[in-house]
Amino acid sequence: MTEMELQSFDTLSAMQLEGSCHCGAVSFSVRSHEPVPYQRCYCSICRKTGSGGFMINLAADAATLKTTGLEHSRTYRAQVEGNGTKVESKHQRIFCSHCGSHLWAFNEQWPELLHPVASAIDTELPVAPERVHMMLGSKATWVEPDDRPGDGCFETYPEQSIADWHKTRGLRVD
């Protein structure tokens, strides 16, 4: 984004995101204060349920979610390590039951948040000035992250939240 685009972007209210699956059976809208797709996750769950060897999630206000065709969606909860055994994750991934498009994720630990998958968003999204590559310790050996000067690279999760990343760069829209 140019400096002028960033300045005009900063003055916007929360951004309305419109999204849909590939076949059109499920569509949704949600308001986001953190709409910049900067964070790329390389964990095995995102890699296998996403595309390109990584997944990009955004942050949005869960209370603003509106859907059509929700009856065509399905929820997946991955099995994760918990005290030495496999347990069902609290993280819910929502998919279209017809075409398999991953649409958004929700975690009951943070009921106010929803994480739309950037690849499901039909609204034009801003370009990130830099990116964060996370969970690199889990990436597939064939994946070569396109990390550039200024990008953050983390073996696990970065300490900075999606909201804080946007705030510290003046990219949060209120």
Side-chain angles (χ1 to χ4, degrees), residues 7-23:
Q7 286 173 350
S8 65
F9 182 68
D10 287 339
T11 63
L12 296 174
S13 61
M15 188 172 181
Q16 183 74 19
L17 302 179
E18 304 289 333
S20 62
C21 65
H22 186 260
C23 73

Side-chain angles (χ1 to χ4, degrees), residues 99-159:
C99 66
S101 296
H102 188 177
L103 302 168
W104 67 82
F106 175 79
N107 191 314
E108 58 198 44
Q109 291 178 298
W110 301 282
E112 70 284 358
L113 291 176
L114 184 84
H115 295 287
V117 176
S119 59
I121 300 299
D122 301 317
T123 306
E124 188 74 27
L125 294 172
V127 176
E130 69 217 34
R131 299 162 307 172
V132 165
H133 303 269
M134 59 187 256
M135 300 301 291
L136 289 168
S138 301
K139 74 172 188 60
T141 56
W142 55 267
V143 173
E144 294 183 29
D146 181 21
D147 55 322
R148 301 171 186 176
D151 284 3
C153 296
F154 301 88
E155 288 295 301
T156 58
Y157 291 100
E159 288 186 26

Side-chain angles (χ1 to χ4, degrees), residues 77-89:
R77 290 179 182 239
Q79 296 291 308
V80 296
E81 292 293 326
N83 297 326
T85 63
K86 294 272 186 176
V87 296
E88 190 174 68
S89 171

